[in-house]
Amino acid sequence: MRIGGRIQAAIEVLEDIDKRHRPVADALKDWGVSHRFAGSGDRAAIGNIVYDALRHRRSAAFLMGEETARARAFGAMLLESGWTLDRLAEALEGDRFAPPPPTEAERAAVADNRLEDAAPEVRADLPDWCVAPFTTSFGDDWVAEAQAMALRPPLDLRVNVVRATRERMLRTLEEFSAASANLAPHGIRIPPIAGEGRHPNVQAEPAFQQGFFEVQDEGSQIAAELAGARPGETVLDFCAGAGGKTLALSVATQNSGRIVAHDAEKPRLAPIFDRLRRAEATNVEVVARLRELDDLKGACDLVLVDAPCTGSGTWRRRPDAKWRLSQRQLDVRLGEQRAILDQAASFVRVNGRLAYITCSVFEAENGAQVAAFLERNPGFAPVDHRALWEEHFPGRSDKARFHETAGLMLSPLKSGTDGFFFALLERRG
């Protein structure tokens, strides 16, 4: 396919998302099924345009002067790929599968509409209702933080140091421009997609199949590192999901002690079994039924709660979720988090630790949730998070935002990671 056909395909996918209010992955998959002639390179390029248009939804529409799928696709080409309307017109000319070239009205809009003059929420590419929570979380930096969440993300990996070294994996993945992560001690970063390219299929690599590394955002790796699982401890991963943090905890304990992976939603646990076998994590048990955890009540050295949340910290990877999220959905998540935290606390032994993690940047899900928990559970107290951070990442305190009550937050702008909140609480009675 030529670029014109790819842009037209992206417009069709965006129109499908608008009409049916469906996840971008589903819309792209259905388009691929009904257009089997498109090769993998075509599908990757189409996906890039669609994701860029979703990340820059408001700024692209402002630039083009319209809210249409066409305007957002064109605007994304200008904003993310650095194209001009003249270059776009030249690329579309003579291609019968391409959309019509830029109109005079569109050219006039681009000439007149300067992003620096746009409203802050437009420059931030945020829904209106998200301005307040972003302002609460980031203060004067809220626009810059939101803009960082509208950029293409890198691909992060965590080396399974039980089986390999980071230096060895850097050599293995050298062709992908792999480099050591900025903070995570076992992390590797592959740069964001450039142009019409795509991230390498690292899961096809023999080193992945042999369990030498896993795909895991650096922020998630940092959260697992700060949780501080130690060899010989009894650890409960209470919302284990597919097991990314479970595997990191197993490495931290050097495959000793006991790690129990649990999730209330049984289907979410399905991928964990292959991952455990591949990583040769021998100290992990997977438990789906809550009643089977009774022997752990008041007995765990560490309970990790990677709580269900809005996922607002992952919007650069899942930009469609930004436009589907509502205040009502946030309220539902807040109720779930309160219940899960209180439930998980019952498994922490005296002098044990409770780690609370979200991939959200909303204060209501993060610091406010922890503060409310501490009021309900006076036997718990927060650790000194600045000291904890300095212990693991000395001299890098500028990479995290520390909450005034308890916890810290990571973000694309500040730490170069997805948005994560982390709080560690000790049970003292």
Side-chain angles (χ1 to χ4, degrees), residues 338-418:
R338 283 192 294 270
I340 288 171
L341 263 175
D342 288 342
Q343 199 171 43
S346 66
F347 294 96
V348 183
R349 68 167 177 82
V350 175
N351 297 322
R353 291 122 39 225
L354 175 64
Y356 176 70
I357 303 167
T358 75
C359 53
S360 172
V361 295
F362 290 166
E363 166 66 10
E365 298 184 273
N366 297 338
Q369 194 70 272
V370 171
F373 170 83
L374 292 172
E375 285 187 11
R376 297 192 304 273
N377 297 271
F380 283 83
V383 304
D384 182 335
H385 285 84
R386 286 186 179 272
L388 177 68
W389 180 269
E390 189 66 22
E391 176 187 342
H392 289 272
F393 309 108
R396 308 302 300 277
S397 60
D398 60 316
K399 298 300 181 182
R401 292 179 181 272
F402 296 92
H403 194 272
E404 58 185 10
T405 302
L408 60 88
M409 188 165 64
L410 308 173
S411 68
L413 182 67
K414 194 81 168 174
S415 57
T417 69
D418 283 355

Side-chain angles (χ1 to χ4, degrees), residues 3 6 10 14 24 28 40-56 72-73 76-77 80-81 152-153 192-199 319:
I3 184 62
R6 290 173 170 179
L14 289 167
V24 60
L28 284 167
S40 59
D42 294 322
R43 293 194 299 271
I46 293 164
N48 286 342
I49 298 170
V50 170
Y51 274 87
D52 290 341
L54 290 167
R55 293 187 184 104
H56 298 289
R72 282 179 271 136
M77 295 292 292
E80 186 65 48
S81 300
R152 292 182 178 183
I193 295 168
E196 298 178 12
R198 53 182 169 172
H199 276 139

Side-chain angles (χ1 to χ4, degrees), residues 222-229 249 302 304 353 355 357 388 392 422 424:
I222 291 170
E225 176 79 10
L226 292 172
L249 293 171
L302 170 66
L304 187 140
R353 291 122 39 225
I357 303 167
L388 177 68
H392 289 272
F422 174 88
L424 189 63

